[in-house]
C-alpha cells in the first residue's frame, strides 16, 4: 500500500476543516456548498440540538413526473443519501467523506412538488462501518414518502 501523497493529506485536512467550521458556526450551508449535487438539488439543513433536519425545496428541476407533478425518485434517493453523509460527517467530526457501501430505499408514496424533509438516525457506528436509517416526508412526519437504510465505510 502506498503512502498518502501531500495532495491526499491536504484533501483530508480540508474536509476536517470544513466540518469543524460548519459545526463551530452552526451553519451547514458552508459544508453543503462544497458538494455540487447538494447545490444542484438545492438542499439545506438545520440543526436542533442533536437533531438535524434536511430540506429539499420545491424546485422545477427536481421534477420527474410533470403530470402529477412529482419529484424524481433519483432526486429523493440522492437527497436522502447526502443527508446521511452530512449527518455522519457532523456527528463524527469526519476527516474524510464516508464511502457508501450499500443503499436501500423504499418509496412509500409520490413526493409531490413541494418542500421535502429528511431526518437520519445513526443506528450503529463502529470503527470501520456505520449504519444509518433515513426517513423522508413532506407535510406530515408520520406520512413518509420514503424510508432508506445505508451502510458507510468510515476511514
Amino acid at each position: 500500500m502506498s503512502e498518502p501523497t501531500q495532495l491526499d493529506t491536504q484533501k483530508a485536512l480540508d474536509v476536517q476543516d470544513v466540518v469543524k467550521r460548519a459545526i463551530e458556526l452552526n451553519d451547514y450551508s458552508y459544508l453543503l456548498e462544497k458538494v455540487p449535487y447538494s447545490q444542484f438539488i438545492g438542499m439545506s439543513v438545520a440543526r436542533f440540538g442533536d437533531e438535524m433536519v434536511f430540506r429539499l425545496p420545491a424546485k422545477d428541476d427536481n421534477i420527474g413526473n410533470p403530470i402529477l407533478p412529482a419529484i424524481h425518485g433519483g432526486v429523493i434517493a440522492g437527497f436522502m443519501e447526502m443527508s446521511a453523509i452530512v449527518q455522519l460527517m457532523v456527528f463524527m467530526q469526519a476527516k474524510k467523506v464516508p464511502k457508501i457501501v450499500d443503499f436501500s430505499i423504499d418509496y412509500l408514496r409520490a413526493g409531490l412538488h413541494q418542500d421535502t424533509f429528511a431526518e437520519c438516525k445513526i443506528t450503529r457506528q463502529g470503527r470501520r462501518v456505520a449504519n444509518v436509517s433515513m426517513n423522508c416526508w413532506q407535510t406530515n412526519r408520520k406520512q413518509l414518502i420514503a424510508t432508506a437504510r445505508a451502510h458507510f465505510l468510515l476511514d
Side-chain angles (χ1 to χ4, degrees):
M1 185 180 252
S2 64
E3 290 188 32
T5 65
Q6 184 175 355
L7 183 60
D8 292 335
T9 305
Q10 184 62 38
K11 283 182 183 177
L13 290 175
D14 288 346
V15 169
Q16 188 174 20
D17 290 343
V18 168
V19 171
K20 186 177 178 182
R21 181 174 174 196
I23 292 168
E24 286 172 357
L25 299 174
N26 198 31
D27 180 7
Y28 302 95
S29 62
Y30 180 72
L31 175 58
L32 292 173
E33 285 172 5
K34 306 297 182 193
V35 183
Y37 184 70
S38 69
Q39 287 182 312
F40 177 73
I41 63 173
M43 76 181 279
S44 61
V45 61
R47 184 171 178 179
F48 307 97
D50 286 341
E51 184 177 329
M52 296 181 86
V53 177
F54 298 87
R55 179 177 166 266
L56 179 68
K59 186 176 171 188
D60 289 344
D61 288 341
N62 293 340
I63 299 280
N65 182 343
I67 295 169
L68 286 178
I71 302 169
H72 191 283
V75 172
I76 294 170
F79 167 60
M80 293 175 79
E81 181 181 324
M82 280 303 311
S83 299
I85 289 170
V86 171
Q87 177 110 9
L88 277 171
M89 290 176 70
V90 169
F91 285 100
M92 291 175 18
Q93 297 190 13
K95 295 178 182 173
K96 293 185 178 178
V97 177
K99 296 179 178 123
I100 188 89
V101 174
D102 70 348
F103 183 86
S104 175
I105 187 166
D106 295 321
Y107 296 101
L108 305 174
R109 58 181 44 90
L112 302 176
H113 185 48
Q114 58 194 33
D115 287 0
T116 305
F117 304 92
E119 64 183 349
C120 306
K121 181 180 176 190
I122 301 170
T123 53
R124 183 174 188 283
Q125 179 186 336
R127 288 185 327 183
R128 301 194 65 210
V129 177
N131 301 341
V132 182
S133 61
M134 297 141 270
N135 289 325
C136 189
W137 73 92
Q138 290 186 314
T139 57
N140 183 339
R141 233 180 231 224
K142 293 182 181 182
Q143 291 182 331
L144 301 177
I145 63 168
T147 183
R149 293 151 313 284
H151 296 93
F152 293 90
L153 184 62
L154 310 173
D155 252 350

